[in-house]
Amino acid sequence: MSEKKFELQNSLNILLLENDPADAELCLHELRRAGLNLHSEIVQTREEFCAKIESENYDVILADYNLPGWNGAEAFERLQARNRDIPFILVTGAIGDEIAVECIKRGISDYVLKDRLARLPMAIRRALQERALREERARAERMLLERERRFHALMEHSADGIALLSAKGRILFTSHSENRILGYTAKERLGENALKLIHPDDRRRASTIFQEVIGKDRNTATAHLRYLARDGSWRWLECIVTNLLNEPTVQGVVINYRDISERKRAAEEIRQLNEELERRAIERMKDEFVSVVSHELRTPLTAIRGVLGLLASGKLCQPPGNCQRMVAVGVANADRLARLVNDILDLERIQSGMISMQKKICDSADLMQQAADLMRLTAESQGVTLSVTPLSVSLWADPDRIMQVLINLLSNAIKFSPPGSAVCLSAERVGGEIRFEVKDHGRGIPAGSLTRIFERFQQVDASDSREKGGTGLGLAICRSIVTQHGGRIWAESVLGQGSMFRFVLPEQGDGVQAAEKKEAESAAQNSDH
Amino acid sequence: MPRKILIIDDEEAIREVTQVTLETFAGWIITTASSGREGIARAAQDLPDAILLDVMMPDMDGPSTFKELCRNPATRRIPVLFLTAKVQAADVEAFRNLGAKAVIAKPFDPMSLAHDVSKALGWEFEEIQQVSGRK
């Protein structure tokens, strides 16, 4: 505005549309008299006027209303058509109030009657001032618009999101028209309850925090919550909730949120790694423990067993009958303790993978025959008949370990068979697998114990380990071995009629492929490290 | 002369039981050592027909003792049997690869120890008790 005043004081560029030269001169005279420094051009016809407003720039246009063939209002229309904001003042004879009002409505700055020309300088000043105001306002509006656009763009492109909620938790505004974090459009979410997309497990917590925040003016809280993204995944958002309900320009609860899923994932990975390290440390401690126990238990056991063995042999002296019986009990129990230690260590090592299965191609019939041969004497000593029906199938297995399973099952079956009965070992091919079966005619196993017996120290009867000399670990070891071969083991039984232990192993083809796959995997894993 | 056997074991009870067992069942002459170092010295001095060597011993363990025995030309040819409470298949394999004649697990049965040792060394067990002066 001050700029314009300066212009007004210095020089005014005026276009005068007037077909009467005398009137034109009067106008200019009046302006000069008022002390205005001006440069003027006078045009008389429509063509001249149009050419001038097209080519020149004026501070003010003065126009007569009544012109030959047209009028001042039409001239103003021409100016408007060219989108030029130049103060336009009618300098005219009497035109009537209606026309005058109509002209002002259309945007003409002012009108001055020719017989009141003294008003003209003031009308010009006021028109120029008004234009300066208009320009100022337009500039301010442009700036505001610009600021708003920048603000919007900032919000739109910021990695973090902002949402505005009502006191009831409805979404009033979201910063991103297209929410990059969760994938929804702003429109979709407006009016929705903000809890709707929160993970069910986090909802109660979110609600509590929200209630706490709105309980006190300008209260703020931070929460990590899971939100359902449009693609169906759960994203971890860190939400800073601020109560600005009483802030007149906001009137809502502001949520600033950012996606911390990656951070959470990394933290989770670290936690898992720590757990894994811890697990390995424990595993190592266990291995060491197993190793120490193995040595520390066996050493005194070796001495005890040795001494008892020497006494029992009768080589050192000939003890009386009672003493001999007691020594025999000592020998039997030292042996049992030794077996127990062996079995515990065996089971630990198989389960922890410390013992890897030495797999090779072997024949099932050979394994069955060898196991039966080894157990034949034991069976005979119990008055039990051992019958084998071998089946020759090529297996990919650790023959020593499979023998261990067969011997264990046969030994159990013999132990629990009444004298004069038979124990049968057989095998069958069942859909790509070979199924071994050890069948006895003993007392059987209650249905409720059929699964439990494969757990550690879970014999059907607690007195079994004493009477039958078992360790309570045999079946657990069998299960571990079979599992390590990719097979399954289970028991079936009819009480009073006998039991049937069965286990299946994959045939060679499957096993070899599986082994190759596993080897390839472990090779790939090793190359990762 | 009966066979001479050296037992190297840090556990006194084991040394004693093993000694009595072998003396009683086989009639062998037994000397003992309570550590790897002592065993190496005794082996060089006594030149036994075989050595029963414990695996887990403080300071110098069985395998180290065995390697040391092999380094000395005087003791290099004495057959060694490991006696161990650590009976993993992989360990047994490793001891055999070292050159041990056999690996005998603890606890052992005294009735069969002398037999097992003889068998591993290719000795005729029955004759041992009467044989004299033959290495």
Side-chain angles (χ1 to χ4, degrees):
Chain A
M1 204 160 90
S2 54
E3 209 179 313
K4 290 295 157 191
K5 268 181 186 164
F6 177 76
E7 244 181 24
L8 190 63
Q9 279 158 9
N10 285 286
S11 174
L12 267 182
N13 198 12
I14 292 182
L15 179 64
L16 200 56
L17 174 58
E18 178 60 78
N19 62 336
D20 185 340
D23 283 355
E25 194 48 45
L26 270 175
C27 275
L28 294 174
H29 174 72
E30 197 59 46
L31 295 178
R32 285 194 194 101
R33 205 161 66 91
L36 292 177
N37 178 14
L38 41 91
H39 170 262
S40 61
E41 282 178 69
I42 302 168
V43 288
Q44 296 190 350
T45 66
R46 187 195 311 243
E47 289 71 31
E48 282 175 320
F49 178 78
C50 289
K52 282 292 175 191
I53 60 168
E54 194 68 49
S55 61
E56 305 288 331
N57 201 11
Y58 299 99
D59 295 312
V60 173
I61 295 170
L62 304 177
D64 194 358
Y65 186 80
N66 291 310
L67 296 162
W70 65 320
N71 62 38
E74 284 174 62
F76 180 65
E77 271 172 26
R78 294 288 168 125
L79 182 67
Q80 275 188 315
R82 275 161 185 77
N83 222 358
R84 308 286 293 269
D85 185 14
I86 302 171
F88 190 95
I89 299 172
L90 285 175
V91 181
T92 176
I95 53 168
D97 289 345
E98 267 183 43
I99 292 176
V101 169
E102 183 59 32
C103 285
I104 298 291
K105 261 191 197 164
R106 283 190 193 177
I108 286 173
S109 308
D110 207 345
Y111 76 98
V112 175
L113 295 173
K114 281 184 178 173
D115 53 4
R116 298 264 169 80
L117 276 181
R119 234 193 103 238
L120 187 58
M122 200 191 70
I124 287 177
R125 281 199 183 91
R126 203 172 60 198
L128 286 172
Q129 269 176 5
E130 276 172 7
R131 190 179 75 151
L133 277 173
R134 272 201 307 278
E135 280 178 350
E136 190 70 23
R137 193 168 60 229
R139 197 164 51 238
E141 272 169 7
R142 270 201 309 278
M143 275 173 69
L144 190 66
L145 202 67
E146 186 55 37
R147 246 181 245 165
E148 211 161 89
R149 268 198 203 124
R150 189 183 296 157
F151 181 67
H152 188 75
L154 275 176
M155 281 225 198
E156 186 72 33
H157 294 105
S158 120
D160 295 355
I162 297 174
L164 189 65
L165 308 187
S166 72
K168 289 191 171 171
R170 303 248 160 231
I171 297 171
L172 303 175
F173 165 83
T174 58
S175 58
H176 296 162
S177 56
E178 185 89 33
N179 190 325
R180 284 188 301 279
I181 297 174
L182 296 173
Y184 303 98
T185 63
K187 260 191 197 165
E188 281 177 297
R189 311 249 356 243
L190 284 186
E192 227 176 41
N193 189 316
L195 286 179
K196 193 178 146 190
L197 295 178
I198 297 179
H199 194 283
D201 294 350
D202 295 349
R203 244 175 243 171
R204 183 187 290 271
R205 191 158 52 87
S207 180
T208 310
I209 290 168
F210 188 77
Q211 292 307 325
E212 270 173 26
V213 168
I214 64 167
K216 195 179 154 210
D217 199 22
R218 295 199 164 260
N219 221 359
T220 184
T222 304
H224 291 179
L225 304 166
R226 279 164 291 177
Y227 275 79
L228 182 63
R230 175 167 228 143
D231 63 8
S233 66
W234 291 102
R235 308 296 298 171
W236 275 102
L237 300 188
E238 180 181 71
C239 300
I240 301 169
V241 191
T242 311
N243 177 357
L244 294 178
L245 284 163
N246 292 332
E247 176 71 37
T249 51
V250 182
Q251 295 181 25
V253 178
V254 176
I255 316 277
N256 294 71
Y257 58 93
R258 67 171 45 169
D259 190 349
I260 55 163
S261 307
E262 284 307 301
R263 207 205 295 171
K264 281 270 180 193
R265 197 187 51 75
E268 174 62 12
E269 219 165 71
I270 289 169
R271 195 189 60 74
Q272 278 178 5
L273 281 175
N274 278 337
E275 239 172 43
E276 175 67 15
L277 283 176
E278 211 166 287
R279 199 187 57 75
R280 281 190 201 174
I282 291 172
E283 202 63 43
R284 206 166 40 240
M285 273 168 61
K286 206 167 99 181
D287 292 348
E288 278 170 23
F289 181 74
V290 164
S291 175
V292 169
V293 164
S294 141
H295 183 255
E296 295 305 312
L297 279 180
R298 277 185 178 134
T299 300
L301 197 54
T302 304
I304 293 168
R305 178 63 180 84
V307 168
L308 292 173
L310 281 170
L311 291 176
S313 71
K315 292 261 182 182
L316 296 179
C317 60
Q318 275 298 330
N322 273 347
C323 195
Q324 266 180 11
R325 276 204 303 282
M326 289 303 103
V327 170
V329 170
V331 168
N333 279 279
D335 283 343
R336 194 177 132 210
L337 191 53
R339 279 200 303 277
L340 191 57
V341 171
N342 285 343
D343 279 2
I344 289 173
L345 295 175
D346 227 14
L347 188 59
E348 283 303 324
R349 290 201 193 111
I350 293 172
Q351 284 183 342
S352 67
M354 272 170 72
I355 296 183
S356 55
M357 299 291 133
Q358 306 290 319
K359 290 181 189 169
K360 50 183 90 158
I361 296 167
C362 42
D363 183 75
S364 58
D366 289 349
L367 296 177
M368 292 169 81
Q369 203 63 62
Q370 284 172 35
D373 288 347
L374 279 168
M375 293 311 292
R376 193 148 277 128
L377 274 177
T378 315
E380 277 168 12
S381 72
Q382 303 272 314
V384 173
T385 318
L386 182 54
S387 78
V388 198
T389 321
L391 171 76
S392 179
V393 172
S394 195
L395 288 175
W396 177 248
D398 181 335
D400 290 345
R401 292 293 169 180
I402 299 305
M403 281 275 286
Q404 192 179 350
V405 174
L406 289 170
I407 288 168
N408 216 305
L409 295 180
L410 286 173
S411 155
N412 273 351
I414 293 165
K415 262 186 240 170
F416 292 101
S417 287
S421 68
V423 166
C424 310
L425 170 61
S426 60
E428 204 181 331
R429 287 175 100 146
V430 186
E433 292 177 321
I434 172 164
R435 187 179 71 200
F436 294 89
E437 181 182 300
V438 174
K439 197 172 175 187
D440 66 53
H441 297 89
R443 66 190 186 197
I445 303 162
S449 300
L450 285 173
T451 328
R452 196 166 53 84
I453 48 171
F454 291 97
E455 304 293 330
R456 287 181 253 195
F457 303 114
Q458 294 289 344
Q459 281 134 320
V460 175
D461 187 333
S463 62
D464 283 349
S465 59
R466 288 188 294 278
E467 281 176 18
K468 310 287 182 186
T471 61
L473 291 170
L475 288 176
I477 292 174
C478 289
R479 188 176 63 175
S480 284
I481 293 172
V482 170
T483 308
Q484 295 263 328
H485 280 84
R488 304 180 304 284
I489 186 166
W490 70 97
E492 293 168 25
S493 181
V494 178
L495 265 185
Q497 289 185 26
S499 308
M500 192 162 61
F501 282 81
R502 287 175 157 174
F503 69 95
V504 292
L505 295 177
E507 278 186 38
Q508 187 206 333
D510 294 356
V512 170
Q513 277 162 16
E516 278 170 356
K517 197 178 158 209
K518 208 173 169 186
E519 245 168 51
E521 277 169 8
S522 75
Q525 262 181 4
N526 288 338
S527 67
D528 283 349
H529 292 307
Chain B
M1 250 178 45
R3 303 263 188 199
K4 285 188 293 179
I5 305 283
L6 171 61
I7 298 167
I8 307 175
D9 199 313
D10 61 314
E11 289 281 342
E12 193 187 348
I14 307 288
R15 285 199 302 275
E16 192 134 2
V17 170
T18 315
Q19 178 173 5
V20 174
T21 300
L22 296 181
E23 283 172 355
T24 309
F25 283 87
W28 295 333
I29 293 169
I30 309 295
T31 49
T32 63
S34 63
S35 72
R37 293 248 163 264
E38 191 191 333
I40 289 163
R42 196 155 280 280
Q45 189 189 314
D46 296 355
L47 296 177
D49 298 305
I51 297 173
L52 293 188
L53 178 57
D54 183 25
V55 171
M56 279 173 84
M57 291 187 290
D59 298 334
M60 194 177 201
D61 66 5
S64 308
T65 307
F66 180 59
K67 281 177 202 158
E68 199 62 38
L69 287 167
C70 290
R71 236 173 256 140
N72 184 346
T75 53
R76 168 182 301 164
R77 292 180 192 286
I78 305 173
V80 171
L81 294 87
F82 277 112
L83 263 178
T84 179
K86 213 177 153 194
V87 273
Q88 290 178 50
D91 293 332
V92 172
E93 194 66 28
F95 300 148
R96 279 195 186 285
N97 288 341
L98 273 179
K101 284 282 173 202
V103 180
I104 294 173
K106 291 181 185 175
F108 51 80
D109 180 359
M111 309 272 255
S112 59
L113 180 65
H115 179 259
D116 290 344
V117 171
S118 304
K119 197 177 162 195
L121 295 171
W123 294 348
E124 200 57 54
F125 181 57
E126 291 303 330
E127 284 175 23
I128 296 272
Q129 292 182 55
Q130 289 101 36
V131 165
S132 57
R134 181 160 57 87
K135 252 194 189 165

